[in-house]
Each structure stands twice: as C-alpha cells, then as structure tokens.
Amino acid sequence: MKTLRDGVMIEDVVIGQGKVANKGLKIQILYKATLASNGKEFEAKMDRKNPFGLRLGIGNSIQGLDIGIEGMCVGGKRIISIPSKVGFGEKGNGQKVPPNADLIYEVELVKVR
C-alpha cells in the first residue's frame, strides 16, 4: 500500500500498460465500492459495455477517487482506500453511505481520452 495526499491509500493489483490517467482527461472505469467498516457494497459499475465515464480531477466524482486514479495506466487495476474527509464526508450519501464513512474502491481503468 502506498499513501497519497489526504490519506488516500492505493494498492496496485495489476499495472496497466496503456495511456496514463491525468487530471483533466476523460476516463472510463469499472469499479466496485464498499464501506471500509464492514465490506458492504454500496455501488458498482462492472459492465464492460457501459463503463463509468468522468473527467478526472474536476469534481465529477469524490475527491479521494480522483486522487487514487490519477497516474493509473489503461489496463491497470487498483484498490483505493478513501478516508471520509475526501469521500462523502460528514453528510454521507443518502442511505447508501453513512456519515464519516471510510471507503474502499476496486477500480479498473479501461480508457483514457
């Protein structure tokens, strides 16, 4: 595990060989998101025909996910541990994520444009 800024921790499971995900680029990912406290899955996007798309680092996702994905290469798989302060914070996310919850995302980077 490697610690990045704001306490985000990453573990590369597979090192990709494609384009690098940098701030401002459009990316597509597959992911599974769980609560760190109990492993309960609260969200997933694993359909290769319809991956989740976002522009990295401009607020299209939670800050911790942006931090954890930056620098990945296409084809890479990474486990990202996200402290609540750069996740959903004190408010949580509806009924899915309680307030102040730490999160774990398993991410595969499938495309960078």
Side-chain angles (χ1 to χ4, degrees):
M1 294 287 276
K2 178 179 177 183
T3 302
L4 306 177
R5 70 181 192 274
D6 293 322
V8 174
M9 296 174 62
I10 59 169
E11 179 182 352
D12 286 310
V13 178
V14 174
I15 304 293
Q17 300 297 318
K19 290 176 113 177
V20 178
N22 289 311
K23 187 175 181 178
L25 295 177
K26 290 182 181 180
I27 65 168
Q28 292 183 338
I29 60 171
L30 301 176
Y31 70 90
K32 179 174 85 168
T34 58
L35 301 175
S37 62
N38 61 12
K40 181 179 178 186
E41 183 178 307
F42 65 87
E43 191 171 75
K45 185 78 167 176
M46 300 300 290
D47 181 0
R48 289 197 174 278
K49 293 181 182 179
N50 190 25
F52 179 69
L54 65 133
R55 188 174 295 272
L56 190 63
I58 63 164
N60 290 151
S61 66
I62 58 172
Q63 185 180 6
L65 193 57
D66 284 340
I67 293 167
I69 291 173
E70 190 169 358
M72 283 184 76
C73 294
V74 170
K77 294 182 181 181
R78 183 176 278 181
I79 298 171
I80 305 169
S81 298
I82 302 172
S84 66
K85 68 181 178 182
V86 287
F88 293 105
E90 294 177 355
K91 294 182 181 181
N93 186 15
Q95 295 180 350
K96 299 189 297 184
V97 179
N100 301 310
D102 294 338
L103 312 171
I104 298 179
Y105 277 75
E106 295 176 36
V107 176
E108 179 180 352
L109 182 61
V110 295
K111 190 171 189 178
V112 173
R113 313 186 259 146

